Amino acid sequence: MARSGGGCCPSMDLMRSEAMQLLQVIIPTESAHLAVSHLGDLGLIQFKDLNADKSPFQRTYAAQIKRCAEMARKLRFFKEQMSKAGILVSPMQSTETPLDFDDMEVKLGELEAELTEVNANDEKLQRAHNELLEYSTVLQKAGEFFYSAQRSAAAQHRQMEANQSGETSLESPLLEQDMLTDASKQVKLGSLSGLVPKEKAMAFERILFRATRGNILLRQESVDEPVTDPQSGEKVYKNTFVVFYSGERAKAKILKICDAFRANRYPFPEDLAKQTHTVQEVSGKISELKATIDMGLAHRDSILKTIASEFEHWNHLAKKEKSIYHTLNMLSVDVTKKCLVGEGWSPVFAANQIQDALQRATLESKSQVGSIFQVLNTKESPPTYFQTNKFTSAFQEIVDAYGVAKYQEANPGVYTIITFPFLFAVMFGDWGHGICILLATLYLIIREKKFASQKLGDIMEMMFGGRYIIMMMSIFSIYTGLIYNEFFSVPFELFAKSAYACRDSSCSDSTTEGLIKVRDTYPFGVDPVWHGSRSELPFLNSLKMKMSILLGVSQMNLGIFMSYFNAKFFRNSVNIWYQFVPQLIFLNSLFGYLSMLIIIKWCTGSKADLYHVMIYMFLSPTDDMGENQLFPGQKTLQRHQGHQYAMLEGADESVVAELGEHNEESNHHEEFEFSEIFVHQLIHTIEFVLGAVSNTASYLRLWALSLAHSELSTVFYDKVLLLTLGYNNIFILAIGVVVFICATVGVLLVMETLSAFLHALRLHWVEFQNKFYEGDGYKFAPFSFALISEDEE
């Protein structure tokens, strides 16, 4: 399926990866930037790093990379400022006059300088404003302290005068002596006022008393609302304090303690007139600063809105330029330093498009010399490239998670589109549950444009990315649910009446022994009469177990046939005769034969014990089979199989000869080692023989999970919904409905979906893909602007 070059478009073939070729381009220096830019727009060439031995600082365009990094830093600064200001970034719009890289660098520098200056001024004004607000709070609270003290002193003075007029002075000689003391000899007290964090108030008071040995008077009162701290800018609950002290030494100690506790101090005038004047002055300054700050914020917002309108364009351009220079650093400089030489992988169909891009770059740069394009011959393994769309990409990701396909080997993703959701549905079969999942998925698909432009959470992002997988899973679940005839575990006669009816009234308790066939066989799926009968579980067990084996053997045979197509495509006849043929014979001689017996038993209605048949086919192939015989000649056929164990004469010589011929025809020149091939194939043989048994048994998980899903659904319906209906109470019924919905959604639609998904994933990765899929390739990672990540720095 390799294609010839020169095609204009891909064939969208998922079976084999696109045919690749190694290119060499020689680009003149003056047109190198434009050429790489056009190739990035095209996104169909993966450049090889020809300067891997050089450090990032030794490369040609290291200075330009540094400039791009600096621009990215400025853009991150702008984004942070817009986020703080609550300004949204405008979506990118096409501009008629694209901004030059150098001009954008100058523009970003000017905006950063202006924004930095505005922020610095705003920070100073905010600090001054917060200090004034704290000062206003101190003036208010401290004023209340002094006003309360003055009222108390005045009251005491009036009482004292009243006592002196009615009593002799002998009754209070000390008080009288105090009043007659000379005012010049009285000790003057100093005071300090301010705010201290509330959480530190108790420690602050304790340290003050210890440091001054109690020779202070401290008054504190908490501020009801948190205040903005001028230093940190954070909202903090604080206490207003006033400290009265005596002496300079005490003052010095108090000042040091205030600094240690980050207690902001503010002067408080003792004179009442000065207090009133200070309050008015502080209020006026607060109003002036508030107006100035608002003007500064409005100016900053206007700058940020200007940035927001162009931010996406600038960000895209900065990332684009960085990726261009990063790619240019992967190209080697010619000895003349007049051109750059690059090598890279590209799909064969893209050859004309790449040449057109190089030619356009030459014309636009007005270069006198054109670029040279040539295809190189190489023995390197090319990268793997599949053309996918939004539907097939998710299925391809399932395969790639196991391993990227080797170049042009058969891609399991083609079959995964059908087999993966089908095997999921076999385990999840219920058309009621399938409809619920389908409705949820259709919502994601209908609004996919809106969701694609939003940042979703991790789980939601995963569901949105796999929306088409989930849609296919739900559709197949509806199909298998109709086959199982289960709608939230309830059977319906959708396609016809049941083929069976009660023989008499005594058989109403449902066992097939009391039923007789009165109509034609139910046309599609399981007859609804089986549900609720005492023989339901044995019947469905037998049906689903045998069906799991049939599906498993079919898929494993598909995997073995895929190995044949791989060997044929790569012209490896050895793998066809000594790997494909023996594997096919071994698997079908055992499990293919079992599958045939299952189908014969279904068609004939025989009661043969297949366990007995398969076991004694090896233990006693000559014994009479009795009622376990399903078809004439069965004993002879099984004995014939049993007599085939014999040495293959000359097997080693034929293998050696075949391998030798293959080695001569191959293009590689590796030394042939028969011992290595023999050991490798021996291990592979043992692995396949043991794996054939374990893989077939692994497919029984289809039966187990299908049974578990059906039984859980039945339990929720019978023991929750029907049980609450029997109480004839609307309140109990409402509770029952809520519990039923929560259990159905939480257990059956979420946990069971995840469980069936993981088991289907295991069956594809291990049981199916290991039959033919090597998965040791590497992805085609082209240089493309469309793939630039939003989080790239």
Side-chain angles (χ1 to χ4, degrees):
M1 292 188 65
R3 298 179 192 87
S4 60
C8 63
C9 59
S11 66
M12 295 293 289
D13 184 10
L14 276 178
M15 188 63 187
R16 305 279 177 190
S17 60
E18 296 291 339
M20 307 293 287
Q21 58 187 2
L22 183 63
L23 307 177
Q24 184 184 62
V25 290
I26 303 175
I27 311 171
T29 306
E30 60 270 18
S31 63
H33 184 278
L34 266 176
V36 172
S37 177
H38 289 326
L39 291 176
D41 290 329
L42 185 61
L44 286 172
I45 183 169
Q46 176 181 332
F47 285 100
K48 296 172 66 177
D49 190 358
L50 303 181
N51 299 312
D53 56 333
K54 294 182 180 180
S55 70
F57 303 102
Q58 295 175 329
R59 304 201 179 200
T60 309
Y61 295 93
Q64 286 80 354
I65 292 286
K66 188 176 180 181
R67 289 170 59 193
C68 293
E70 180 64 17
M71 291 171 59
R73 182 196 62 79
K74 293 174 183 177
L75 289 168
R76 288 196 301 271
F77 169 70
F78 294 155
K79 189 172 184 179
E80 181 183 349
Q81 293 297 312
M82 287 186 290
S83 178
K84 288 181 179 179
I87 296 175
L88 299 176
V89 177
S90 303
M92 187 171 64
Q93 299 176 353
S94 58
T95 55
E96 297 180 358
T97 56
L99 192 64
D100 183 71
F101 181 69
D102 296 330
D103 294 339
M104 189 180 80
E105 186 178 22
V106 174
K107 181 72 172 177
L108 294 183
E110 292 174 352
L111 288 171
E112 184 192 29
E114 185 177 5
L115 195 56
T116 302
E117 184 181 358
V118 169
N119 286 340
N121 293 335
D122 180 67
E123 187 177 352
K124 292 178 182 178
L125 292 173
Q126 286 287 0
R127 185 182 296 112
H129 182 258
N130 293 333
E131 288 178 350
L132 288 175
L133 288 177
E134 281 199 344
Y135 193 12
S136 176
T137 304
V138 170
L139 289 174
Q140 177 188 352
K141 294 294 183 180
E144 293 176 0
F145 291 158
F146 281 92
Y147 179 69
S148 175
Q150 287 175 354
R151 283 192 305 172
S152 178
Q156 289 180 1
H157 186 69
R158 286 194 300 270
Q159 185 179 3
M160 193 182 304
E161 289 180 347
N163 291 339
Q164 286 178 355
S165 62
E167 299 177 2
T168 61
S169 60
L170 296 175
E171 295 179 0
S172 54
L174 294 177
L175 184 60
E176 181 180 358
Q177 182 180 357
D178 181 56
M179 294 177 63
L180 296 175
T181 303
D182 187 4
S184 62
K185 296 181 181 180
Q186 292 181 353
V187 178
K188 276 197 167 185
L189 297 178
S191 65
L192 287 173
S193 57
L195 291 169
V196 65
K198 193 172 185 178
E199 58 186 16
K200 300 179 180 179
M202 294 299 295
F204 177 68
E205 181 176 352
R206 188 162 51 249
I207 295 297
L208 282 176
F209 273 93
R210 289 179 180 175
T212 60
R213 298 183 179 180
N215 293 320
I216 61 165
L217 176 64
L218 175 66
R219 292 289 303 275
Q220 291 194 75
E221 185 173 346
S222 62
V223 182
D224 296 334
E225 297 294 330
V227 295
T228 305
D229 187 80
Q231 303 301 323
S232 64
E234 298 177 352
K235 292 282 186 180
V236 182
Y237 282 95
K238 292 189 175 184
N239 282 4
T240 305
F241 69 88
V242 179
V243 183
F244 297 95
Y245 60 90
S246 174
E248 291 299 321
R249 292 182 62 187
K251 180 181 179 181
K253 291 180 179 179
I254 295 170
L255 290 175
K256 289 181 179 180
I257 294 171
C258 288
D259 292 338
F261 280 85
R262 295 183 180 179
N264 299 328
R265 304 182 304 278
Y266 299 95
F268 183 82
E270 297 181 2
D271 184 71
L272 185 59
K274 289 183 179 180
Q275 290 178 19
T276 305
H277 176 71
T278 304
V279 169
Q280 293 175 351
E281 184 181 2
V282 169
S283 299
K285 287 183 178 180
I286 289 174
S287 300
E288 292 176 2
L289 276 177
K290 180 64 176 172
T292 307
I293 289 171
D294 289 343
M295 291 176 62
L297 291 176
H299 178 55
R300 187 188 68 176
D301 287 349
S302 66
I303 297 173
L304 291 176
K305 287 178 181 177
T306 303
I307 295 172
S309 63
E310 297 289 339
F311 180 82
E312 284 295 336
H313 175 65
W314 293 341
N315 192 37
H316 178 74
L317 182 58
K319 290 179 178 179
K320 181 177 177 180
E321 289 294 324
K322 184 178 179 181
S323 64
I324 289 173
Y325 286 116
H326 178 73
T327 302
L328 286 171
N329 275 338
M330 299 171 71
L331 276 59
S332 63
V333 181
D334 187 69
V335 289
T336 61
K337 295 188 177 179
K338 293 183 179 180
C339 59
L340 298 175
V341 180
E343 295 180 5
W345 294 102
S346 172
V348 172
F349 70 80
N352 288 343
Q353 299 176 52
I354 293 173
Q355 293 180 40
D356 291 343
L358 295 175
Q359 188 175 1
R360 276 188 287 119
T362 302
L363 294 174
E364 292 175 12
S365 64
K366 299 179 180 178
S367 174
Q368 300 297 322
V369 181
S371 300
I372 299 174
F373 171 94
Q374 57 185 354
V375 179
L376 301 178
N377 293 322
T378 181
K379 295 176 183 177
E380 295 181 43
S381 177
T384 300
Y385 177 45
F386 292 108
Q387 288 272 1
T388 58
N389 52 38
K390 63 183 180 180
F391 178 79
T392 59
S393 61
F395 292 97
Q396 189 62 48
E397 286 297 324
I398 290 179
V399 176
D400 292 344
Y402 175 84
V404 178
K406 187 176 69 174
Y407 177 62
Q408 290 206 324
E409 77 168 315
N411 181 21
V414 178
Y415 303 97
T416 301
I417 296 174
I418 298 299
T419 58
F420 184 86
F422 177 70
L423 291 185
F424 168 88
V426 171
M427 296 178 276
F428 193 78
D430 188 300
W431 61 280
H433 298 154
I435 288 174
C436 293
I437 298 177
L438 180 62
L439 292 176
T441 312
L442 288 177
Y443 174 76
L444 295 178
I445 293 174
I446 292 170
R447 309 194 67 181
E448 65 181 8
K449 290 185 178 179
K450 179 181 178 181
F451 287 125
S453 61
Q454 296 178 350
K455 285 191 175 181
L456 308 174
D458 292 339
I459 297 177
M460 190 64 184
E461 185 74 32
M462 192 183 306
M463 290 179 60
F464 179 71
R467 59 194 181 280
Y468 289 104
I469 296 179
I470 302 174
M471 181 192 74
M472 293 293 289
M473 286 159 42
S474 62
I475 291 173
F476 276 98
S477 295
I478 295 172
Y479 170 70
T480 55
L482 291 172
I483 292 177
Y484 296 158
N485 203 344
E486 291 187 7
F487 178 84
F488 296 99
S489 79
V490 180
F492 286 91
E493 295 181 338
L494 293 177
F495 302 101
K497 291 284 187 180
S498 172
Y500 298 92
C502 284
R503 180 178 299 161
D504 51 43
S505 59
S506 64
C507 79
S508 59
D509 195 18
S510 306
T511 173
T512 51
E513 295 296 330
L515 297 174
I516 57 173
K517 189 171 182 179
V518 295
R519 301 181 188 88
D520 292 336
T521 303
Y522 194 72
F524 184 82
V526 176
D527 195 309
V529 76
W530 289 102
H531 292 277
S533 67
R534 282 182 288 177
S535 55
E536 174 189 9
L537 199 56
F539 169 74
L540 292 180
N541 264 340
S542 176
L543 172 68
K544 293 180 178 180
M545 180 176 63
K546 293 179 175 64
M547 180 183 65
S548 300
I549 293 174
L550 292 176
L551 293 175
V553 173
S554 300
Q555 190 174 33
M556 287 190 291
N557 270 297
L558 174 62
I560 294 174
F561 274 101
M562 293 305 299
S563 70
Y564 165 76
F565 290 115
N566 267 341
K568 185 177 180 182
F569 181 84
F570 293 113
R571 298 177 181 177
N572 190 341
S573 58
V574 172
N575 283 357
I576 293 177
W577 293 107
Y578 298 104
Q579 185 169 306
F580 163 71
V581 173
Q583 287 181 355
L584 190 68
I585 293 174
F586 176 81
L587 182 68
N588 289 287
S589 294
L590 186 61
F591 298 107
Y593 179 64
L594 174 61
S595 302
M596 184 187 72
L597 293 181
I598 291 173
I599 296 172
I600 292 175
K601 181 177 179 180
W602 279 349
C603 294
T604 60
S606 171
K607 295 184 179 180
D609 186 357
L610 297 184
Y611 296 108
H612 185 278
V613 172
M614 294 302 296
I615 291 173
Y616 285 92
M617 182 177 72
F618 294 97
L619 297 181
S620 303
T622 60
D623 289 355
D624 184 58
M625 303 187 67
E627 63 178 7
N628 289 324
Q629 183 166 334
L630 288 163
F631 60 89
Q634 180 179 356
K635 179 179 177 181
T636 305
L637 176 63
Q638 294 178 177
R639 287 183 61 188
H640 180 72
Q641 289 181 349
H643 285 294
Q644 294 308 304
Y645 304 114
M647 287 291 293
L648 293 175
E649 297 181 2
D652 290 347
E653 290 79 1
S654 62
V655 170
V656 172
E658 192 72 33
L659 289 173
E661 292 175 5
H662 174 69
N663 187 58
E664 291 175 0
E665 293 175 359
S666 62
N667 293 326
H668 60 80
H669 300 282
E670 296 179 1
E671 184 179 354
F672 175 72
E673 287 287 344
F674 173 73
S675 60
E676 292 183 7
I677 299 296
F678 179 78
V679 172
H680 173 76
Q681 288 301 113
L682 180 63
I683 295 172
H684 189 73
T685 301
I686 296 172
E687 180 185 7
F688 180 82
V689 170
L690 298 179
V693 179
S694 63
N695 292 165
T696 306
S698 183
Y699 276 96
L700 293 177
R701 71 184 68 233
L702 299 174
W703 157 47
L705 266 77
S706 173
L707 184 64
H709 185 86
S710 176
E711 292 302 309
L712 277 173
S713 183
T714 302
V715 167
F716 292 150
Y717 179 76
D718 291 343
K719 303 301 181 184
V720 177
L721 195 59
L722 292 184
L723 190 64
T724 55
L725 282 171
Y727 284 96
N728 294 324
N729 185 305
I730 190 66
F731 179 72
I732 296 177
L733 178 60
I735 294 176
V737 171
V738 171
V739 172
F740 175 75
I741 293 174
C742 292
T744 299
V745 173
V747 177
L748 297 176
L749 297 184
V750 177
M751 294 176 62
E752 281 284 302
T753 299
L754 180 60
S755 174
F757 180 91
L758 294 176
H759 283 285
L761 198 64
R762 145 75 197 228
L763 291 175
H764 278 77
W765 281 357
V766 179
E767 277 69 34
F768 173 53
Q769 292 181 188
N770 72 351
K771 300 294 184 296
F772 69 98
Y773 189 61
E774 294 186 18
D776 57 354
Y778 63 101
K779 269 188 177 182
F780 176 58
F783 168 60
S784 172
F785 296 140
L787 300 178
I788 295 176
S789 171
E790 293 182 359
D791 298 328
E792 181 184 354
E793 297 184 357

